[in-house]
Amino acid sequence: MKAMVAVKRVIDYNVKIRVRSDGSGVETAGVKMSMNPFDEIALEEAVRLKEAGTVSEVIAVSMGASACQETLRTALAVGADRAILVETDADLQPLAVSRMLSVLAKREEVSLLFLGKQAIDDDANQTGQMAAGFLGWPQGTFLSSLKVDGTHLVVEREVDGGLESLRLAIPAVLTADLRLNEPRYASLPNIMKAKKKPLETVTPADLGVDPAPRLKVLSLAEPPARAGGIRVPDVATLVAKLHSEAKVI
Amino acid sequence: MAQLVLADHDGVTLRPATLNTVTAALALGPEVHILVAGSGVGSVAREAAAINGVSKVLTCDDERYRHLLPEALAPLIASVAGRYTHVLAPATTFGKNVMPRAAALLDVAPISEISAVVDASTFVRPVYAGNALATVQSADALKLITVRGTAFDAAGTGAGSASLESVPAADATEGASWLSEQMTQSARPELTAAKIIVSGGRGVGSRENFALIEALADALNAAVGASRAAVDAGFVPNDYQVGQTGKIVAPSLYIACGISGAIQHLAGMKDSGVIVAINKDEEAPIFQVADYGLVADLNKAIPELIDALKR
Ligand SMILES: Cc1cc2nc3c(=O)[nH]c(=O)nc-3n(C[C@H](O)[C@H](O)[C@H](O)COP(=O)(O)OP(=O)(O)OC[C@H]3O[C@@H](n4cnc5c(N)ncnc54)[C@H](O)[C@@H]3O)c2cc1C
Ligand SMILES: Nc1ncnc2c1ncn2[C@@H]1O[C@H](COP(=O)(O)O)[C@@H](O)[C@H]1O
């Protein structure tokens, strides 16, 4: 069976973002971009299934500007067999991304569609669930463990109260949480080899999807900053302050 | 038209974030209904009917909803959504799992984790781990929304007297079945509803040493939280994690012990009332958001703190 992995190009998680002063977006000039950390984990899981002989091919997909090719080359270096770029300059939102992913998953006849649980830029946590809805497939979200059991999957999910286990029929949509695995780094020889792996470019129109956003971002603002605090020299002062100044204990 | 709130519950009682979601729904209009789906959920429906401001409880009591799996629940939400302008759920792992799936069935762009209502189609939501606040406007006739609990007060209960209406079950998508769960048992307050939280990070050092954090929490009748590093190291279960990908909390007092203050952790706690940081590194970024910073070894400071509190 084939696996598809959605990888998003985002501002690196170590960058402290800055909102443009006119509120039109965040500063991206000269800012380091990387693969969304959750997608690295999703990709690692798919590649491990291929190494285990469970999956025959891993297809990486990214959607957005042509620079997403870079993210796809990283995915190929980590172990994806081929890549698809859905190229557009539209402001892509989860509804359009999930619809296009579901079209591609059908076209490529994949059995497992992997995503990250959330993109660290929009923090939407929607795309996997919506793709599952469009495809009519079961969904295993926020996964911390995945096992293939013949025609089914046994997954463990991170939920508010602890962990939940489910059995899912294949085909299924899966979204990775942080503890699913520890993603590898691409080795230099594999980075070189990745340059020769196939990368196909398509447009939203090729997939029959209108990528226009349904949510209009009116403005972006910095959250109110916290007023600076003080250092206390010892525990006794801390307790006194919490008691009589902050009045929280 | 009215707004519908999807109840998050464990089969016996409502999860508290449902009450904060009702407050967000009431900000959109006066008529708020609640959907209680599940199996044998009479007690939950009665509890929902008593929430102040709720005028109707829709119940769908059917075995297929026992574990609230999205494959079953999303079609039910889609089947009743036509009667409403907005459908809202708490931004718990339950709400986040099911609402986007329902949105796909309805061809609506869902709006995740709102922190404020501007008007009936305009909302504020944090992005980039809370380092920016986006004001977004929906072009859809029907809005599907998840609500950040800490951003809205909990609705009162006891004065409501909603009517009950049972709605028919919808066809579920096949292919998913529930196997088991491992829920963390704790007598301490629930993280997202606690007034005081004591959190430990990698600096706590070991699972055994986490007993220090728990002892401080007990001295304050507080909930216990943790950083991702503490969870990954196996000091505590995953549901203790506070942050961008864990729980969002806003207690009146948050005490961070041995936590450096990575932006992903701050994302989950920087709206707390008062923040205390105990860290032996005076350069730790956590001190930039702390109201009271104590540069100290937590192994020495926490026992002293517990002693002082007992006095
Ligand atoms: C996509 C993504 C999502 C993430 N989501 C989250 C999230 O939701 N929540 C989260 O917490 N993290 C999250 N992280 C991880 C985050 O980036 C940090 O790695 C993590 O928060 C660090 O945890 P820490 O502060 O406990 O550990 P460290 O950064 O290692 O800090 C330990 C601190 O303990 C102090 N210390 C050590 N010994 C003592 C002592 N004896 N007494 C006092 N102080 C001591 C040290 O000075 C240090 O400041 C995420 C990361 C990524 C990439
Ligand atoms: N533009 C994109 N290209 C590729 N994958 C995406 C894109 N947007 C979202 N995804 C996938 O959907 C997941 C969840 O994103 P979101 O719903 O935006 O939080 C991400 O972790 C990716 O796997």
Side-chain angles (χ1 to χ4, degrees):
Chain A
M1 60 181 172
K2 295 199 246 177
M4 180 173 279
V5 188
V7 295
K8 186 176 188 183
R9 180 178 158 87
V10 297
I11 294 180
D12 187 85
Y13 82 96
N14 274 312
V15 173
K16 170 102 176 68
I17 61 110
R18 286 212 342 269
V19 176
R20 284 197 210 110
S21 51
D22 64 356
S24 64
V26 297
E27 204 51 75
T28 49
V31 169
K32 183 176 178 209
M33 305 294 287
S34 300
M35 185 185 297
N36 184 43
F38 292 95
D39 305 355
E40 295 181 325
I41 298 169
L43 175 65
E44 175 70 31
E45 198 66 15
V47 170
R48 286 187 191 182
L49 288 175
K50 181 166 180 212
E51 288 167 346
T54 313
V55 155
S56 56
E57 187 182 32
V58 176
I59 308 164
V61 177
S62 192
M63 306 187 182
S66 69
C68 296
Q69 283 191 34
E70 221 180 287
T71 313
L72 288 171
R73 288 291 168 205
T74 306
L76 293 167
V78 165
D81 297 291
R82 60 188 170 96
I84 303 172
L85 167 65
V86 182
E87 191 172 341
T88 170
D89 288 325
D91 165 28
L92 280 181
Q93 293 179 350
L95 180 65
V97 173
S98 56
R99 209 185 265 291
M100 294 194 282
L101 274 174
S102 64
V103 172
L104 282 172
K106 285 236 178 79
R107 187 188 90 174
E108 300 290 341
E109 299 179 326
V110 303
S111 303
L112 303 175
L113 174 58
F114 283 97
L115 303 88
K117 95 162 174 183
Q118 111 190 31
I120 60 164
D121 48 6
D122 65 17
D123 281 334
N125 193 337
Q126 297 174 341
T127 309
Q129 298 87 311
M130 296 180 83
F134 286 129
L135 289 161
W137 294 359
Q139 68 190 50
T141 56
F142 325 153
L143 296 191
S144 57
S145 145
L146 168 70
K147 289 196 187 70
V148 182
D149 168 20
T151 56
H152 283 76
L153 304 167
V154 174
V155 302
E156 190 177 70
R157 313 178 50 232
E158 295 205 1
V159 295
D160 285 337
L163 297 167
E164 178 184 69
S165 293
L166 304 175
R167 188 173 148 83
L168 305 175
I170 296 171
V173 175
L174 306 161
T175 79
D177 211 323
L178 294 173
R179 279 172 281 274
L180 183 58
N181 60 49
E182 278 224 32
R184 72 193 71 184
Y185 292 101
S187 68
L188 197 58
N190 286 342
I191 293 172
M192 300 311 290
K193 271 189 233 155
K195 294 191 172 143
K196 297 201 189 73
K197 290 186 178 176
L199 192 159
E200 176 195 2
T201 300
V202 299
T203 65
D206 295 337
L207 304 177
V209 175
D210 173 6
R214 292 273 192 92
L215 282 185
K216 193 166 159 196
V217 181
L218 300 182
S219 68
L220 215 58
E222 302 255 0
R226 284 188 79 93
I230 58 161
R231 297 289 166 98
V232 290
D234 52 38
V235 167
T237 316
L238 175 62
V239 173
K241 294 273 185 198
L242 291 178
H243 197 74
S244 43
E245 192 175 88
K247 299 190 185 4
V248 282
I249 58 170
Chain B
M1 293 258 275
Q3 297 82 248
L4 180 67
V5 169
L6 178 63
D8 188 355
H9 63 82
D10 62 5
V12 183
T13 56
L14 283 175
R15 294 234 160 79
T18 309
L19 299 175
N20 309 77
T21 308
V22 168
T23 300
L26 285 165
L28 291 160
E31 192 167 347
V32 171
H33 299 176
I34 288 200
L35 172 61
V36 176
S39 181
V41 286
S43 62
V44 184
R46 281 191 297 279
E47 197 186 341
I51 301 174
N52 305 356
V54 171
S55 51
K56 190 186 277 183
V57 178
L58 306 184
T59 58
C60 191
D61 209 318
D62 191 286
E63 182 54 31
R64 77 190 75 175
Y65 303 118
R66 176 173 297 278
H67 297 292
L68 300 176
L69 296 186
E71 292 79 358
L73 203 47
L76 177 67
I77 296 168
S79 75
V80 296
R83 296 158 59 177
Y84 298 96
T85 54
H86 300 75
V87 181
L88 304 94
T92 52
T93 48
F94 160 74
K96 290 176 178 177
N97 195 28
V98 68
M99 288 295 269
R101 188 173 179 115
L105 303 184
L106 291 158
D107 188 28
V108 164
I111 308 156
S112 286
E113 214 160 347
I114 63 164
S115 59
V117 170
V118 178
D119 61 40
S121 51
T122 315
F123 310 91
V124 178
R125 56 177 305 266
V127 292
Y128 293 97
N131 289 303
L133 298 173
T135 302
V136 297
Q137 190 175 48
S138 165
D140 290 312
L142 168 70
K143 278 91 181 162
L144 264 68
I145 294 170
T146 59
V147 175
R148 176 170 285 200
T150 53
F152 297 87
D153 292 335
T157 63
S161 57
S163 58
L164 293 175
E165 176 189 330
S166 111
V167 294
D171 287 338
T173 303
E174 302 292 314
S177 54
W178 186 90
L179 293 176
S180 64
E181 65 186 11
Q182 254 180 282
M183 293 295 163
T184 305
Q185 303 300 330
S186 171
R188 297 194 183 89
E190 207 254 321
L191 255 184
T192 54
K195 295 257 182 306
I196 303 181
I197 295 175
V198 182
S199 273
R202 198 198 309 271
V204 176
S206 69
R207 185 187 201 139
E208 294 68 43
N209 211 33
F210 219 86
L212 262 181
I213 302 292
E214 287 164 354
L216 176 56
D218 291 342
L220 289 161
N221 189 25
V224 175
S227 70
R228 174 191 172 190
V231 175
D232 286 0
F235 300 173
V236 288
N238 64 286
D239 53 300
Y240 283 41
Q241 183 173 316
V242 170
Q244 182 183 19
T245 47
K247 293 201 172 107
I248 307 292
V249 300
S252 25
L253 173 60
Y254 188 91
I255 306 183
C257 308
I259 293 178
S260 62
I263 48 176
Q264 294 85 7
H265 187 79
L266 302 185
M269 45 65 79
K270 68 181 160 57
D271 292 330
S272 301
V274 172
I275 297 175
V276 171
I278 302 177
N279 195 305
K280 67 178 183 189
D281 173 11
E282 60 177 293
E283 302 284 317
I286 189 80
F287 287 124
Q288 290 163 20
V289 299
D291 299 285
Y292 302 107
L294 177 63
V295 180
D297 185 332
L298 64 88
N299 294 303
K300 189 167 159 289
I302 295 180
E304 274 179 45
L305 190 48
I306 295 170
D307 270 355
L309 290 168
K310 283 189 181 146
R311 252 181 270 131

